[in-house]
């Protein structure tokens, strides 16, 4: 295999490698709380000076920490965490889309719940659709949404063919829809969320909503409207 990774991916891989050692991870954990001198770190973590120097050098090389000289005792240096670099360890904005379309088979529960959650977290518009839409939205989906402060009204079911626009970001929130879409929507995301209508219990709908909420929390910061900024 001969793959050329982007500079960003390579840099993140180096940071992950640097963090994949208990002592270095402990240093990062300590600096999350506040700055410290090498001597303070060595004492707190029980690391001999030569080993600590080795770990600090590696963390500096990948840009996770930096040194500053004391404004008091000019001979002393302090280490601080570069939080912006640590945050960059995970990928951020990955997608640009004018709208997000959540799709499940019947467009009766998961896709509507996902769209409602999305509207609470992102300025990018969202809607929902189904590959084989049911006549109406499942009443337990409406009740579950209401219980968690979400509104599905006015909610109706729709077929993806009458919903999809060019450049929409499609998220298939069930396995069936993902497999049915096939090459019709090649550039889509897939969330394997269990179908709550199979059992139809309140617990199943609550579990589906929780699963969707966790996924929306992670995806929403990574999607920007065309021409949007990170501000």
């Amino acid at each position: 295999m001969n793959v050329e990774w982007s500079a960003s991916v390579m840099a993140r891989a180096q940071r992950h490698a640097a963090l994949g050692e208990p002592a270095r991870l402990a240093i990062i954990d300590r600096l999350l709380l506040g700055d410290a001198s090498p001597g303070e770190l060595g004492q707190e973590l029980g690391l001999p000076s030569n080993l600590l120097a080795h770990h600090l050098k590696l963390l500096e090389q990948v840009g996770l920490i930096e040194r500053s000289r004391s404004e008091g005792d000019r001979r002393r240096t302090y280490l601080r965490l570069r939080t912006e670099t640590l945050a960059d360890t995970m990928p951020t904005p990955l997608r640009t889309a004018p709208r997000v379309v959540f799709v499940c088979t019947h467009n009766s529960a998961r896709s509507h719940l996902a769209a409602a959650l999305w509207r609470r977290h992102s300025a990018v518009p969202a809607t929902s659709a189904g590959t084989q839409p049911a006549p109406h939205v499942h009443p337990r989906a409406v009740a579950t949404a209401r219980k968690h402060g979400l509104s599905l009204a006015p909610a109706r079911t729709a077929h993806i063919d009458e919903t999809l626009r060019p450049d929409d970001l499609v998220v298939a929130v069930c396995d069936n829809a993902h497999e049915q879409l096939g090459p019709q929507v090649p550039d889509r995301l897939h969330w394997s969320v269990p179908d709550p209508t199979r059992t139809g219990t309140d617990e199943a709908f609550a579990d589906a909503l929780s699963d969707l909420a966790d996924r929306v929390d992670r995806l929403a910061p990574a999607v920007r409207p065309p021409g949007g900024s990170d501000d």
Side-chain angles (χ1 to χ4, degrees):
M1 184 171 67
N2 185 17
V3 178
E4 289 190 10
W5 302 109
S6 69
S8 172
V9 169
M10 291 297 297
R12 285 173 38 224
Q14 290 170 350
R15 290 177 198 131
H16 279 285
L19 292 172
E21 203 282 334
R24 292 197 284 275
L25 193 56
I27 292 170
I28 295 297
D29 288 346
R30 169 59 184 83
L31 295 178
L32 275 169
L33 304 176
D35 303 342
S37 69
E40 291 168 339
L41 271 181
Q43 187 174 17
E44 290 182 33
L45 300 178
L47 292 172
S49 58
N50 59 338
L51 185 57
L52 177 66
H54 167 71
H55 291 314
L56 294 179
K57 180 181 179 181
L58 289 176
L59 291 172
E60 285 185 286
Q61 286 176 342
V62 297
L64 284 168
I65 64 172
E66 62 185 1
R67 296 173 188 261
S68 62
R69 190 163 296 280
S70 168
E71 292 182 347
D73 180 353
R74 299 289 298 175
R75 296 169 298 179
R76 181 176 299 186
T77 61
Y78 289 109
L79 299 157
R80 61 175 295 174
L81 185 64
R82 297 187 66 198
T83 53
E84 70 279 10
T85 306
L86 185 63
D88 193 45
T89 302
M90 297 302 292
T92 54
L94 299 177
R95 305 296 290 258
T96 298
R99 192 176 68 157
V100 178
V101 181
F102 294 97
V103 181
C104 63
T105 307
H106 300 305
N107 190 211
S108 64
R110 288 164 290 183
S111 52
H112 276 288
L113 292 172
L117 288 163
W118 181 269
R119 295 186 194 103
R120 197 160 67 177
H121 285 80
S122 175
V124 177
T127 189
S128 67
T131 52
Q132 301 172 23
H136 53 76
V137 177
H138 198 290
R140 272 204 167 86
V142 177
T144 301
R146 185 183 301 119
K147 184 177 179 180
H148 291 82
L150 300 168
S151 174
L152 298 191
R156 67 176 186 86
T157 60
H159 195 282
I160 187 170
D161 288 348
E162 65 186 48
T163 305
L164 196 61
R165 300 174 186 163
D167 300 327
D168 278 341
L169 171 60
V170 173
V171 183
V173 294
C174 78
D175 298 338
N176 283 334
H178 173 63
E179 293 158 12
Q180 290 165 358
L181 286 171
Q184 179 185 358
V185 187
D187 184 22
R188 64 178 180 275
L189 301 178
H190 172 214
W191 295 349
S192 183
V193 179
D195 184 2
T197 67
R198 287 181 181 273
T199 59
T201 64
D202 291 343
E203 184 179 11
F205 276 84
D207 288 346
L209 183 71
S210 176
D211 192 347
L212 290 166
D214 178 60
R215 294 170 185 269
V216 167
D217 283 347
R218 283 181 276 143
L219 179 61
V223 178
R224 295 284 184 271
S229 69
D230 294 342
D231 296 335

